[in-house]
Amino acid sequence: MAQGTQRREGTQDSLAGASEITPVLPQAPQLQVPNASVPDVVNNMSSQVARSLSKWSTAKFQEQSNKNHEKAILDGQMAFQQGTAMEELEMDGDKFAMQGYRVMQAQTLSATMLSAQQELITESQYQDDPDTFRAKYVQRMEAQVEGLDSKTARMVREQMAEHMPTLVAQHTKANMQFEEQNAFDTLVNSIDSMSGDPTATEALLSNAMGGEGTATAGLADARRSAAIVQGTVNSFENGNPVAYQKLKSSGLFEELPHAEQQALEASKKQYEAKLANTYDEQHTSNMSQYDADLAAGAFETPQAAVDALIKVYAE
């Protein structure tokens, strides 16, 4: 018994002090990555060829598209010349062909309208003032584009806008010439009619002299002189020598060119010759005496000279 007890007490625990033991772990082998270069898939020969082919095919596609575009426009233009209706082209659904048709139609309409407008200016619209001309033009334009599709109407307006400076210049020039001729004719006619009215002598002389604020202010000096001569000659032809006397007494004839003064004297002599065949010698004598008195300044005022002349013709 004593021996058994001693053996049990002498047995040692195999796990005693295990917590103080450092475990030894197995070492795993490390993987080695080879130092290999990555291939250049962007700049290698195959990629370059692929990109070149892509660019070439895109360019060829664009080239063909442009050719088709130009062909469609040409087809639309030819269709217009052949009289193809707008509705028929719209059914085809080719927008390029439609554009070609619209261009031709707009060009034709604007050219026709330009020609017609220029002819109207020459025939009658030269008489219209700028406001009236503009109103008629706008009205005519709206009538021309009425019923057109919006794109064609827009192109017609755009092309007519390009013609507008030409039309405005033509109308302005024609209208100014018309107004100038009106002023010239009015002065010519007023000399005969106003010279017979004793109360209109001042207005007659004012118009004949011209200048700022007068009715003939717009006439050039040369044109005013020509109108005075023409009006005086017409007065002699109408049996009215009073116009000559009133204008001469005012000193206007002295400012006329020599050739125009000669024309007036020739008209006066022709008138006197006609009278000589109508009146007796007494009238001729009276007329000679009147001319002598006028040359000597015997009349105190221009109106006194006119009154004396009227008396001579009344006898």
Side-chain angles (χ1 to χ4, degrees), residues 234-254:
N234 290 351
S235 297
F236 274 129
E237 293 176 353
N238 294 332
N240 175 20
V242 177
Y244 174 89
Q245 296 300 333
K246 284 188 174 181
L247 294 175
K248 184 175 182 178
S249 299
S250 70
L252 274 174
F253 291 165
E254 298 176 3

Side-chain angles (χ1 to χ4, degrees), residues 99 102-103 106 109-110 141 145 148-162:
Q99 185 70 8
R102 290 189 177 102
V103 170
L109 287 175
S110 61
M141 168 70 77
V145 300
L148 297 176
D149 65 279
S150 59
K151 291 185 178 180
T152 304
R154 187 186 71 248
M155 284 190 285
V156 171
R157 289 190 176 93
E158 289 174 351
Q159 293 195 31
M160 287 308 298
E162 295 178 3

Side-chain angles (χ1 to χ4, degrees), residues 3 34 48 50 63 73 79 112 114 156 187 240 249 259 265 272 277:
Q3 290 179 352
Q48 292 177 1
E63 179 182 353
I73 291 179
T112 301
L114 173 63
V156 171
L187 178 56
N240 175 20
S249 299
E265 291 304 317
E272 291 173 345
N277 296 327

Side-chain angles (χ1 to χ4, degrees), residues 185-308:
D185 294 340
T186 300
L187 178 56
V188 169
N189 296 330
S190 69
I191 289 175
D192 185 16
S193 59
M194 295 178 69
S195 62
D197 181 1
T199 65
T201 300
E202 183 178 351
L204 170 65
L205 296 179
S206 175
N207 291 339
M209 292 177 181
E212 186 177 355
T214 65
T216 58
L219 284 176
D221 291 341
R223 289 284 286 169
R224 183 180 296 102
S225 297
I228 291 172
V229 173
Q230 185 63 53
T232 305
V233 170
N234 290 351
S235 297
F236 274 129
E237 293 176 353
N238 294 332
N240 175 20
V242 177
Y244 174 89
Q245 296 300 333
K246 284 188 174 181
L247 294 175
K248 184 175 182 178
S249 299
S250 70
L252 274 174
F253 291 165
E254 298 176 3
E255 300 177 2
L256 296 176
H258 181 67
E260 293 182 340
Q261 291 184 22
Q262 287 184 321
L264 287 174
E265 291 304 317
S267 180
K268 177 176 177 289
K269 289 180 180 180
Q270 184 178 3
Y271 173 75
E272 291 173 345
K274 182 179 179 180
L275 286 180
N277 296 327
T278 305
Y279 296 97
D280 55 18
E281 293 182 0
Q282 182 61 45
H283 173 78
T284 303
S285 175
N286 293 341
M287 193 66 214
S288 297
Q289 183 60 47
Y290 172 82
D291 288 339
D293 292 342
L294 183 64
F299 303 108
E300 294 182 359
T301 63
Q303 186 60 45
V306 171
D307 292 341

Side-chain angles (χ1 to χ4, degrees), residues 9-179:
E9 291 178 353
T11 302
Q12 296 182 353
D13 187 353
S14 60
L15 296 179
S19 58
E20 299 176 0
I21 299 174
T22 301
V24 178
L25 300 176
Q27 297 292 325
Q30 294 183 354
L31 296 178
Q32 299 294 325
V33 179
N35 188 16
S37 61
V38 178
D40 186 356
V41 297
V42 176
N43 298 315
N44 61 26
M45 183 61 68
S46 297
S47 297
Q48 292 177 1
V49 171
R51 286 198 302 273
S52 297
L53 288 175
S54 175
K55 291 180 180 179
W56 178 85
S57 61
T58 300
K60 295 300 290 184
F61 176 80
Q62 185 63 48
E63 179 182 353
Q64 186 62 40
S65 176
N66 292 339
K67 288 182 178 179
N68 292 340
H69 184 176
E70 294 171 359
K71 179 180 178 182
I73 291 179
L74 178 61
D75 180 69
Q77 294 171 338
M78 181 61 73
F80 177 84
Q81 296 294 339
Q82 294 172 335
T84 302
M86 187 64 131
E87 291 77 9
E88 295 177 3
L89 279 175
E90 287 177 345
M91 291 174 62
D92 295 339
D94 188 335
K95 66 178 181 179
F96 295 125
M98 285 293 297
Q99 185 70 8
Y101 182 97
R102 290 189 177 102
V103 170
M104 291 292 289
Q105 187 178 30
Q107 290 172 340
T108 301
L109 287 175
S110 61
T112 301
M113 185 174 179
L114 173 63
S115 177
Q117 191 66 55
Q118 290 177 320
E119 186 174 351
L120 282 173
I121 292 174
T122 302
E123 291 180 351
S124 62
Q125 289 189 349
Y126 64 87
Q127 303 178 57
D128 295 335
D129 59 71
D131 290 340
T132 302
F133 173 74
R134 184 173 63 254
K136 289 182 178 179
Y137 176 83
V138 172
Q139 183 179 11
R140 185 176 178 82
M141 168 70 77
E142 293 306 311
Q144 286 287 331
V145 300
E146 185 177 0
L148 297 176
D149 65 279
S150 59
K151 291 185 178 180
T152 304
R154 187 186 71 248
M155 284 190 285
V156 171
R157 289 190 176 93
E158 289 174 351
Q159 293 195 31
M160 287 308 298
E162 295 178 3
H163 297 317
M164 193 175 296
T166 300
L167 291 176
V168 170
Q170 180 183 348
H171 174 262
T172 301
K173 181 180 179 180
N175 181 248
M176 292 302 295
Q177 290 175 339
F178 169 72
E179 294 293 342

